Amino acid sequence: MVKGRFMKKFLMCALTLSLMMSSAMAVSASSMGGNSTMGPASSGSQSSSGSHSSSSHSSSSHSSSSKSSGGSSASGQTAASTSKVTVGGQAINSTVSGRFYAPNVNGAAVVSQKAEVNAALGLKNGETASVRVFQSAYGPKAQKCVADTAAALNVTLGPVLDINLGKIDAGGKYSNVQHLNTAVAFTIGIPAEFVQAGSSYYVINVQPGGAVALLQDLDTDPSTLTFATTDFGVFALVRQ
């Protein structure tokens, strides 16, 4: 559980960020040096007023008309689609296949049931779910946003990922779905060099327009971090 003082710091930080995000985050995908598309400025488990949800994670969101994006590596863009992954040293099947290229973490996978993912995406006949998990090559303004958030929360910043979930139509064309109907869970293997005994781990999700979500770890495995989200963009692992 996030300590009350920690959450209070986060909410105060988010209010401050809402005032500076429109300038700090007002950059296009091209100016960020990447191709991935971030999700909409909203969070599925907590409203912008900061009320807590008991289901999956805590977040605070703020809206703006500006756009922002991470930037995925060239190797990630050409990675072969697969569902067989290794997370935290264990070989598992991601419930959604896709492209995984994130050497800065110890594996990643979608862990919600496939039927739940399909419903969250609102898939129609002939459409299939697909995921993209890449080591982020996000630009300097997005870097500053993530770093400022981590500093305001007094947490240690770790690996940063671009995560997007989308659909492939009957013609084989992939498109991102920026906001899901319901939250989908992901598990990330925490790199050995970032593991610290007695620490708690969270994910900072930065969405376009300056929305910031703090996602709690839903599992008890010290080598992995599981979080649920309805929105996509840049995801930074942090340690407290």
Side-chain angles (χ1 to χ4, degrees):
M1 296 293 292
V2 179
K3 297 179 181 178
R5 183 176 64 178
F6 182 65
M7 180 54 69
K8 183 178 180 181
K9 285 183 179 180
F10 171 71
L11 293 175
M12 291 177 64
C13 166
L15 289 172
T16 302
L17 283 171
S18 68
L19 299 177
M20 53 78 70
M21 284 293 186
S22 58
S23 59
M25 299 293 289
V27 290
S28 66
S30 59
S31 67
M32 299 296 282
N35 299 319
S36 66
T37 303
M38 294 182 66
S42 62
S43 176
S45 67
Q46 181 176 356
S47 69
S48 59
S49 63
S51 60
H52 181 70
S53 165
S54 61
S55 61
S56 60
H57 62 274
S58 301
S59 65
S60 181
S61 297
H62 307 279
S63 296
S64 167
S65 61
S66 60
K67 300 293 182 180
S68 62
S69 175
S72 304
S73 68
S75 296
Q77 297 294 347
T78 58
S81 181
T82 185
S83 62
K84 297 182 182 301
V85 294
T86 299
V87 180
Q90 299 294 320
I92 66 172
N93 284 326
S94 173
T95 56
V96 176
S97 62
R99 296 178 179 175
F100 299 88
Y101 183 79
N104 56 335
V105 296
N106 195 11
V110 180
V111 294
S112 292
Q113 294 297 315
K114 180 175 286 189
E116 295 175 349
V117 177
N118 291 347
L121 287 166
L123 296 185
K124 300 176 182 178
N125 289 338
E127 295 178 334
T128 57
S130 187
V131 68
R132 305 288 186 267
V133 181
F134 300 142
Q135 176 174 336
S136 184
Y138 61 148
K141 291 186 178 180
Q143 289 178 26
K144 185 178 188 305
C145 175
V146 171
D148 286 350
T149 304
L153 295 173
N154 193 29
V155 294
T156 301
L157 181 61
V160 183
L161 304 172
D162 289 335
I163 301 178
N164 286 287
L165 189 63
K167 57 187 177 182
I168 298 176
D169 64 20
K173 181 181 178 181
Y174 171 82
S175 59
N176 289 328
V177 174
Q178 297 184 342
H179 177 74
L180 304 178
N181 296 324
T182 55
V184 166
F186 294 77
T187 295
I188 307 296
I190 304 171
E193 61 271 18
F194 194 62
V195 173
Q196 186 176 80
S199 294
S200 297
Y201 299 89
Y202 306 89
V203 171
I204 293 173
N205 171 216
V206 179
Q207 302 158 24
V212 178
L214 181 66
L215 312 180
Q216 295 188 41
D217 187 2
L218 304 177
D219 70 38
T220 57
D221 187 337
S223 67
T224 64
L225 188 159
T226 298
F227 64 91
T229 185
T230 57
D231 298 274
F232 297 96
V234 172
F235 292 79
L237 277 66
V238 297
R239 181 182 70 214
Q240 183 192 36

